[in-house]
Amino acid sequence: MEDVSVNKPTVTARKFRRIAFTGHRPTRLGGFKTRYGQRGEDYIRYWLEQYATDETVVLIGMNMGIDQTVARVCAEMDIKFVTYLPERSFGEGWHPYPQEKFAALMEKASGCNYTSDHIREQSVDDDDVDMETCPYTGDERTVYPANWGELYYRHSQGLVETADLVIAIWDGKRSGATYNTVEYTTENTTIPVVHFNPYKDKVVGILNNGGA
């Protein structure tokens, strides 16, 4: 791995117990195997070496792209990770190969939180509730009418609010789920956010650095 520690802004030197990652899917990184994704992986390993301890838990969203790279690196480095998924059907519409990769990584997770389990409980009458089985966990899950805007807002909220460091692999554009997570964190918390821009190949700033 190329040295990524030179001329790079950092948060205050310390270890963190709960580190949340957010980052782009392959479409925002030019594809599945590009130098932008590889440099992101190099930095992920560096940050975990710098900031993680044996007690650290990494929090991730498990979408294709950066999220799953973080999960794989955590598994390789024997670092615990907990997944935050918007709902229990997450990933079911993917093609078989990414579904298999997703399921294999989920088996290595220390735990999983489903945002949909915590909202909309009061939005339906008991007679309207349907049940189905999650193909990844085998659990029975309740199917609620979807409210995607609130669901994904709460998803970003749940991912970062228990973290004490957020690392964002973000291209700087003010659109998309990664930007929404960064925006929520900086506007509603004092959690420091490390902003790595894969297209500039460097950390371009520490947001909320006073929280470090």
Side-chain angles (χ1 to χ4, degrees):
M1 182 183 75
E2 186 178 342
D3 183 12
V4 297
S5 63
V6 179
N7 298 324
K8 181 178 71 63
T10 60
V11 295
T12 305
R14 56 173 284 197
K15 300 294 184 178
F16 294 87
R17 292 178 61 87
R18 295 177 69 84
I19 303 173
F21 279 84
T22 183
H24 294 307
R25 287 176 286 182
T27 51
R28 287 278 284 263
L29 296 172
F32 280 91
K33 295 183 179 180
T34 66
R35 67 183 183 92
Y36 307 115
Q38 181 58 55
R39 293 300 286 154
E41 179 174 341
D42 291 344
Y43 272 88
I44 290 164
R45 291 182 185 278
Y46 171 78
W47 287 317
L48 291 175
E49 289 169 356
Q50 290 293 113
Y51 298 134
T53 71
D54 291 341
E55 298 181 352
T56 295
V57 177
V58 172
L59 317 175
I60 47 179
M62 284 302 290
N63 217 323
M64 285 185 278
I66 292 299
D67 288 352
Q68 292 191 17
T69 299
V70 174
R72 176 171 54 79
V73 171
C74 284
E76 292 171 358
M77 297 178 67
D78 199 24
I79 295 173
K80 293 180 181 179
F81 67 94
V82 172
T83 63
Y84 282 73
L85 306 184
E87 58 184 349
R88 290 179 179 265
S89 60
F90 183 79
E92 289 181 17
W94 297 349
H95 292 295
Y97 178 64
Q99 280 195 12
E100 290 172 6
K101 289 180 62 179
F102 172 74
L105 289 170
M106 287 293 290
E107 289 180 357
K108 298 177 181 179
S110 298
C112 183
N113 293 282
Y114 296 99
T115 304
S116 59
D117 287 359
H118 304 291
I119 65 172
R120 299 196 310 269
E121 287 89 347
Q122 306 301 319
S123 66
V124 293
D125 296 326
D126 290 342
D127 293 341
D128 296 328
V129 174
D130 294 322
M131 300 296 294
E132 61 186 27
T133 302
C134 177
Y136 302 113
T137 65
D139 296 336
E140 287 286 309
R141 79 276 186 89
T142 304
V143 183
Y144 292 107
N147 181 334
W148 290 102
E150 181 181 4
L151 181 63
Y152 276 86
Y153 178 81
R154 295 286 188 89
H155 173 61
S156 297
Q157 182 181 18
L159 177 65
V160 303
E161 283 199 337
T162 61
D164 49 17
L165 175 67
V166 174
I167 296 174
I169 300 175
W170 170 43
D171 61 12
K173 295 180 180 178
R174 296 177 178 271
S175 64
T178 300
Y179 166 67
N180 291 340
T181 302
V182 172
E183 181 183 43
Y184 175 84
T185 308
T186 55
E187 291 187 355
N188 296 279
T189 79
T190 58
I191 301 166
V193 180
V194 178
H195 174 200
F196 171 72
N197 187 323
Y199 288 97
K200 294 183 177 180
D201 195 21
K202 66 180 182 178
V203 173
V204 296
I206 309 298
L207 312 176
N208 282 356
N209 199 21

